Amino acid sequence: MSMVTDDSGVRMRSILVSDFPDDKAEAALSGVPLGGGDSPPTPSGDADNINTSNSNSGNDNGQVGADPFELPQSTHMLLFTQPACSLPFAFAMGILVLSMTCLQLANTSVDFTDINGNFVLPMNVSIEVRVAQYLSIFIALLMEEEIPTGLYLLRMIPRASFHQTFPGKKYSKFVFSCVVRIWMGYIFLFNMFLVLAQATGVIEIFYDVLALQFVQQLDDIAFALAKKDVLGKKMQRACTAKCFQTEFQRQKFGRSKKLSIFLKAVYFLNLGLLLGGMVVVSWLQIIGTRYCDSITVDFGNDVWEEALVNMPSDQFEKWVGLYPYFNDTVTPDQYEKWTLVYSYFNGVYERENKTHARRPVYREMRKFDNTHYELIVPAEIYYCKGISAWVLTHEHIQKSKHLDESGCNWLLRSQETEEFDLLNVDTSWKIWMGVIGNTEVSYDCNECSDETDCNLNGQCVNEKCVCDSDDGVEFVGMRCETQLKDSCRTIFRERDNAAFSVSKYNSAYNPDGPLDTLLQQYGRPVYWYAGDDQDGVVNFMLFTGNRWFGQSFLLEDLNWTWEIFVISIVETHAFWGRNYDRLLTRFVSDETKKDTPVGVDFYQIGKQGGQFGPFGELSPMQLYNQTGRGIFRCGGPLSSQGNLSALERKLQLQNLPVNKGRIMP
């Protein structure tokens, strides 16, 4: 790149100027004083070396900066030195259009919106990337010369001096060429900032910044090629004209510090704007404004039959108070082997107000109403720095009695990744089942932007789905994905015509209020036996993540009071309640994601032990043992109050001992 050097060592890029008619060129070089100053020194005549004269390095004011200067070389200068219909002018316009098009394409390729049109940034970046972002701002400002060069020329070549040196040329075209230069400089800085804001890798940052700088320098590259006769004689003559050696005498105001102060002010203004913008980007990434606050996770259907559970005494007291029938079978502060069905931990996880390894932490929510557990210790999903992976972990469940080398006590872990947003992590995970296996984990954000995110079964209000309930169908679930038809509010078992019905409770927990909320577990309705039971007997079916469990027991046999049993419904967790225990569960379904038990095959649970699988001996309950027949059929709307058992009516939770999701003493 051809440069000029002033007496203070500041290097400015050369500006391309075409040939002038011989008489005007002679006039320009005739020694006529320029701008009222001394006659310019004789040019060197070497078109490849732009020189400045030191003959006026001192002035009568003793100031530095009085030396004459030459136009920098660039195809932008052809826009005012060449006739509009000439080949060099057209070539200069072509280079300008090419540069602007490339910069515009770079601009549009940086997308700050997600599929829903929301403004998004990379959730966070590593420390190395953060440092590279800020260093690249300084590098870009050092490389960027278009803005200071354009401003310098406009400041140093006023209209009178221009017309005296180049009679017959339009000063407006000269101003246009300088404005174009400044405009391109700011487009470069703007594109560079967009690239930095979206960058997630160090090499990516430096490559992109250098690529943008290359596009910005196309005018200089084209000028150098034209000088070497690569683009034809006409272009060579235009780029090696004597006018490029014409020297402009610095204006008197230029000798003062005003110009220097002005250029410094522009430079530091640009620096301040870029740094300020990057600080805002960094702050938004660190606080995680676009992290999803609520996600639904499905861990698959794998089973670990000998999970090690070690429950400390303080947690044991809460747990056994909720499930008193385990008081004699579990010992606190000792390792116990339980069967862990990973789907028991399916459901809603919400982002905590804390981070781990600069990434969000997601905490398991209740299966009953997706609020916080109070008596049950929930699982967590977070990023484990020790193994560079996202993990599912629980503080009371361990892979072995020895400490986990990673320090994260993981039960499932993702592939190695530096990703800050869980939703962008690959769904192929490693799972512990006594040995490491492979599984697929799915996760989806529960926030919505329009009705489509609610499966067109509800309205999106404040980024949450409010599900519809009309036309004989009630929709439930975080995305209104589960439907309950009126015809399936009561279902009948085929073999004995036993009826099971859904139940509702008052969402404000008002004993006198209307029953307006469907009782659910794991996003599915709970079905209660609608026949006559002896007092204290409970019969119902609930979903546990990927199977339906049919439970039947006498409260007295389990040392349960009615009040504690109702609290256990609010705090339901299929693993910590050991729901598959034979004290509770009598029959179980196939793996399913269906909305109701209708059309699902069920099995009577028989013997259990080492000979059998994790669910024991399973005998089909379908009529004629037909696979795929199912055992339930839809029977009609919700049974009348008179047809429900006394226990089921109590389960409508009018006396539920909770207050807006919090268990009352």
Side-chain angles (χ1 to χ4, degrees):
M1 184 187 305
S2 298
M3 311 290 290
V4 293
T5 307
D6 62 17
D7 49 293
S8 57
V10 179
R11 296 185 63 80
M12 301 299 299
R13 284 199 308 189
S14 303
I15 303 179
L16 213 68
V17 182
S18 66
D19 282 314
F20 291 97
D22 292 341
D23 56 342
K24 295 179 180 179
E26 291 174 0
L29 299 174
S30 61
V32 177
L34 301 177
D38 298 334
S39 298
T42 303
S44 65
D46 185 359
D48 293 326
N49 295 288
I50 310 291
N51 300 314
T52 57
S53 172
N54 293 322
S55 60
N56 294 322
S57 58
N59 56 63
D60 41 37
N61 291 328
Q63 294 178 330
V64 178
D67 291 340
F69 67 95
E70 299 170 355
L71 294 174
Q73 299 179 9
S74 166
T75 56
H76 295 326
M77 296 296 98
L78 294 175
L79 297 176
F80 83 89
T81 62
Q82 295 295 304
C85 296
S86 65
L87 176 62
F89 182 90
F91 179 76
M93 286 299 299
I95 294 298
L96 174 61
V97 171
L98 177 62
S99 299
M100 295 302 300
T101 301
C102 292
L103 290 174
Q104 184 60 33
L105 289 174
N107 182 20
T108 56
S109 68
V110 181
D111 190 5
F112 280 91
T113 59
D114 58 17
I115 58 175
N116 298 316
N118 298 317
F119 175 81
V120 294
L121 288 168
M123 291 305 181
N124 213 330
V125 293
S126 65
I127 297 296
E128 295 81 5
V129 172
R130 185 83 70 208
V131 172
Q133 286 175 327
Y134 285 91
L135 290 180
S136 293
I137 291 177
F138 291 96
I139 293 173
L141 285 174
L142 289 174
M143 292 192 304
E144 205 297 301
E145 295 176 301
E146 300 288 4
I147 296 173
T149 299
L151 294 173
Y152 185 87
L153 292 174
L154 288 174
R155 185 75 170 171
M156 296 301 297
I157 305 180
R159 182 186 298 271
S161 178
F162 178 86
H163 285 307
Q164 186 177 16
T165 307
F166 303 135
K169 297 299 178 182
K170 292 184 177 180
Y171 186 70
S172 59
K173 294 176 67 177
F174 166 73
V175 172
F176 172 74
S177 69
C178 294
V179 171
V180 164
R181 184 183 291 274
I182 297 170
W183 182 28
M184 286 193 63
Y186 276 108
I187 292 179
F188 163 77
L189 292 179
F190 180 70
N191 280 350
M192 182 271 302
F193 180 79
L194 296 183
V195 165
L196 296 183
Q198 284 284 24
T200 56
V202 174
I203 298 299
E204 168 193 351
I205 289 175
F206 293 133
Y207 276 163
D208 288 344
V209 171
L210 289 175
L212 290 173
Q213 178 65 11
F214 171 78
V215 171
Q216 190 190 33
Q217 292 179 347
L218 287 178
D219 58 307
D220 302 312
I221 297 171
F223 178 82
L225 292 175
K227 284 180 62 177
K228 292 178 170 56
D229 195 17
V230 175
L231 305 177
K233 293 296 183 183
K234 287 187 178 180
M235 291 302 305
Q236 184 184 36
R237 286 196 298 269
C239 296
T240 58
K242 295 179 180 179
C243 58
F244 284 106
Q245 300 172 24
T246 301
E247 294 181 335
F248 284 84
Q249 195 69 25
R250 299 177 190 273
Q251 302 303 304
K252 185 175 182 180
F253 64 82
R255 298 191 185 115
S256 68
K257 294 184 179 180
K258 292 182 180 179
L259 176 59
S260 177
I261 294 174
F262 175 72
L263 292 178
K264 289 178 182 177
V266 172
Y267 179 86
F268 285 106
L269 175 63
N270 294 338
L271 177 62
L273 291 174
L274 291 172
L275 288 178
M278 188 53 60
V279 168
V280 173
V281 169
S282 300
W283 178 73
L284 291 175
Q285 290 178 329
I286 291 172
I287 65 173
T289 55
R290 289 310 306 170
Y291 286 124
C292 185
D293 290 329
S294 175
I295 61 175
T296 296
V297 186
D298 190 319
F299 295 107
N301 304 319
D302 296 289
V303 180
W304 177 18
E305 295 191 52
E306 295 185 342
L308 290 178
V309 176
N310 188 352
M311 197 177 302
S313 299
D314 56 344
Q315 178 57 34
F316 176 81
E317 294 300 325
K318 295 180 181 179
W319 178 74
V320 80
L322 194 59
Y323 304 108
Y325 49 90
F326 291 131
N327 190 33
D328 298 329
T329 60
V330 177
T331 305
D333 297 313
Q334 292 188 12
Y335 288 100
E336 306 273 351
K337 291 184 178 181
W338 293 18
T339 296
L340 168 55
V341 180
Y342 278 97
S343 60
Y344 290 166
F345 288 89
N346 290 353
V348 174
Y349 286 69
E350 288 195 358
R351 183 163 69 100
E352 291 287 277
N353 189 26
K354 64 179 181 180
T355 61
H356 192 277
R358 301 174 58 233
R359 292 161 176 84
V361 175
Y362 289 95
R363 182 183 181 91
E364 186 182 17
M365 295 290 107
R366 281 175 176 164
K367 315 307 177 184
F368 168 71
D369 57 2
N370 299 324
T371 59
H372 286 275
Y373 279 108
E374 294 189 22
L375 301 178
I376 296 296
V377 176
E380 289 186 333
I381 302 173
Y382 59 76
Y383 184 82
C384 178
K385 190 69 173 178
I387 56 176
S388 300
W390 288 81
V391 300
L392 170 72
T393 183
H394 195 287
E395 60 181 282
H396 300 328
I397 306 175
Q398 297 178 210
K399 297 191 291 295
S400 72
K401 297 180 181 180
H402 305 291
L403 293 177
D404 191 325
E405 292 182 358
S406 68
C408 299
N409 189 35
W410 63 271
L411 302 174
L412 291 100
R413 72 182 189 193
S414 71
Q415 303 294 332
E416 288 191 17
T417 179
E418 296 295 327
E419 179 59 53
F420 281 80
D421 185 3
L422 174 62
L423 299 182
N424 293 332
V425 175
D426 190 281
T427 57
S428 296
W429 285 43
K430 299 292 184 181
I431 185 171
W432 184 263
M433 297 181 293
V435 294
I436 297 178
N438 298 311
T439 191
E440 288 290 319
V441 178
S442 67
Y443 20 80
D444 190 23
C445 183
N446 295 325
E447 297 170 2
C448 63
S449 59
D450 54 35
E451 284 70 23
T452 304
D453 293 334
C454 303
N455 291 294
L456 300 179
N457 297 327
Q459 307 299 314
C460 184
V461 179
N462 296 327
E463 297 187 337
K464 293 184 178 180
C465 289
V466 179
C467 300
D468 296 334
S469 181
D470 52 20
D471 297 328
V473 181
E474 180 177 359
F475 295 97
V476 296
M478 299 301 293
R479 292 293 189 95
C480 306
E481 69 278 5
T482 300
Q483 65 173 357
L484 176 64
K485 298 179 180 179
D486 285 351
S487 60
C488 293
R489 290 183 179 273
T490 296
I491 59 177
F492 292 90
R493 191 162 55 196
E494 188 174 29
R495 282 185 177 274
D496 55 8
N497 215 35
F500 290 80
S501 295
V502 300
S503 183
K504 289 191 172 185
Y505 65 97
N506 180 259
S507 59
Y509 305 105
N510 181 0
D512 301 320
L515 306 180
D516 56 6
T517 303
L518 184 69
L519 177 60
Q520 307 171 56
Q521 296 290 358
Y522 288 87
R524 303 292 192 279
V526 177
Y527 282 86
W528 300 88
Y529 179 57
D532 291 328
D533 278 325
Q534 68 184 79
D535 192 29
V537 175
V538 176
N539 288 286
F540 64 100
M541 285 187 298
L542 77 162
F543 193 66
T544 60
N546 71 343
R547 294 177 186 266
W548 292 87
F549 285 4
Q551 298 192 332
S552 178
F553 48 83
L554 185 65
L555 292 177
E556 183 179 347
D557 290 345
L558 301 179
N559 298 322
W560 248 340
T561 65
W562 177 256
E563 291 73 20
I564 297 299
F565 171 64
V566 172
I567 294 176
S568 75
I569 294 175
V570 176
E571 290 280 296
T572 289
H573 194 289
F575 179 75
W576 295 109
R578 302 182 73 168
N579 281 26
Y580 199 69
D581 194 289
R582 292 190 62 185
L583 292 172
L584 304 173
T585 301
R586 307 300 179 183
F587 57 96
V588 63
S589 76
D590 271 337
E591 295 175 1
T592 182
K593 295 298 182 184
K594 296 197 68 172
D595 299 341
T596 70
V598 176
V600 182
D601 288 349
F602 279 79
Y603 304 88
Q604 195 79 35
I605 301 173
K607 298 178 181 179
Q608 293 179 306
Q611 176 183 345
F612 307 98
F615 294 97
E617 179 187 25
L618 301 177
S619 302
M621 297 177 65
Q622 291 75 247
L623 197 62
Y624 314 119
N625 292 334
Q626 291 179 341
T627 300
R629 183 184 183 97
I631 68 171
F632 290 100
R633 69 179 187 276
C634 293
L638 182 67
S639 299
S640 65
Q641 292 290 316
N643 293 331
L644 299 181
S645 67
L647 282 179
E648 204 283 328
R649 286 196 294 273
K650 290 176 69 177
L651 245 309
Q652 289 178 336
L653 306 183
Q654 289 179 321
N655 298 315
L656 185 67
V658 298
N659 181 20
K660 294 185 179 180
R662 294 195 60 80
I663 298 174
M664 297 174 62

